[in-house]
Amino acid sequence: MHSYGNRMGNLLTVAALSLGAICAMASLCDHLHVPSPSAHAQVLKISRFRKHRSGDDEVGLELNVSANLQSTFTWNTKQVFLFVAAEYETPKNSINQISLWDRIIPAKEYADFSIHIKNKYRFTDQGNNLQGKEFNLTLCWQVMPKSGRMFADKIVMTRYRLPDKYQ
Ligand SMILES: *[C@@H]1O[C@H](CO)[C@@H](O)[C@H](O)[C@H]1NC(C)=O
Ligand SMILES: *[C@@H]1O[C@H](CO)[C@@H](O)[C@H](O)[C@H]1NC(C)=O
């Protein structure tokens, strides 16, 4: 003999269970797509290293950037923003990050490329902090969705070093 209260309890349990299952499926679908991007960046040449008229150190670089970020594109991807930055330490700041180059990838068909570039933004440091300075090259991509949360990832190429003397 089931009491009314008991039946109500069972119905609620079933409802709660199926709601849970729907939530689990939705988030599963979110995670089913596992991107497998590949990317690489490399300093080919320090083309300029001098003290600027302002007194700041200035670096000119040539880079090789290759990436295949096609797998980050889904129906929900608006665009991917890619940038390359130099990271180094100075006594004043433990991490200095200088953006050297960036690109907006508007669609999957543009997401597989290999290019030889010069720094698009100035690589400078106040004073003369950069002689013999070790730096890392970071290649970072931000996947911007049409809706939902942004996703970002990066790779770091370590142990580059600037010359001891100006050129
Ligand atoms: C740039 O990178 C691509 C892909 O890794 C490589 O095939 C090419 O030889 C590189 N170019 C230079 C100048 O190193
Ligand atoms: C460069 O990368 C190495 C290895 O990940 C890390 O130990 C070091 O702190 C990095 N240097 C800077 C300036 O971020």
Side-chain angles (χ1 to χ4, degrees):
M1 276 304 229
H2 296 293
S3 71
Y4 181 72
N6 238 331
R7 296 245 300 263
M8 211 41 203
N10 287 343
L11 273 177
L12 281 178
T13 309
V14 171
L17 278 176
S18 40
L19 205 71
I22 290 166
C23 290
M25 266 166 62
S27 75
L28 190 70
C29 289
D30 244 13
H31 291 108
L32 268 182
H33 178 84
V34 180
S36 52
S38 66
H40 185 72
Q42 177 189 11
V43 176
L44 297 176
K45 193 163 123 189
I46 308 283
S47 51
R48 189 172 61 223
F49 183 44
R50 65 178 187 194
K51 189 177 270 302
H52 196 255
R53 255 171 302 144
S54 62
D56 298 342
D57 282 354
E58 187 186 359
V59 182
L61 296 167
E62 290 183 27
L63 304 169
N64 196 359
V65 177
S66 54
N68 185 344
L69 304 176
Q70 285 185 320
S71 64
T72 62
F73 278 83
T74 68
W75 60 273
N76 190 34
T77 307
K78 187 164 166 243
Q79 62 185 29
V80 174
F81 179 68
L82 178 72
F83 70 90
V84 178
E87 285 180 358
Y88 59 94
E89 292 172 15
T90 54
K92 226 156 115 194
N93 304 302
S94 59
I95 292 193
N96 299 271
Q97 190 188 59
I98 302 215
S99 180
L100 300 176
W101 176 88
D102 59 20
R103 164 179 277 192
I104 289 169
I105 303 170
K108 187 174 181 174
E109 66 213 84
Y110 304 108
D112 183 11
F113 62 88
S114 176
I115 46 171
H116 180 177
I117 48 169
K118 293 181 177 170
N119 56 308
K120 176 168 156 187
Y121 305 112
R122 274 159 51 91
F123 182 175
T124 61
D125 190 84
Q126 288 169 355
N128 48 2
N129 281 315
L130 295 182
Q131 281 167 313
K133 179 63 70 186
E134 273 198 13
F135 66 100
N136 291 342
L137 205 59
T138 300
L139 181 61
C140 180
W141 56 96
Q142 298 172 339
V143 181
M144 298 174 175
K146 288 174 184 152
S147 80
R149 261 197 254 157
M150 193 179 83
F151 165 82
D153 205 353
K154 67 173 184 179
I155 54 166
V156 180
M157 273 110 335
T158 58
R159 300 199 151 266
Y160 286 105
R161 195 167 181 276
L162 289 167
D164 292 323
K165 294 204 167 84
Y166 296 121
Q167 306 171 346

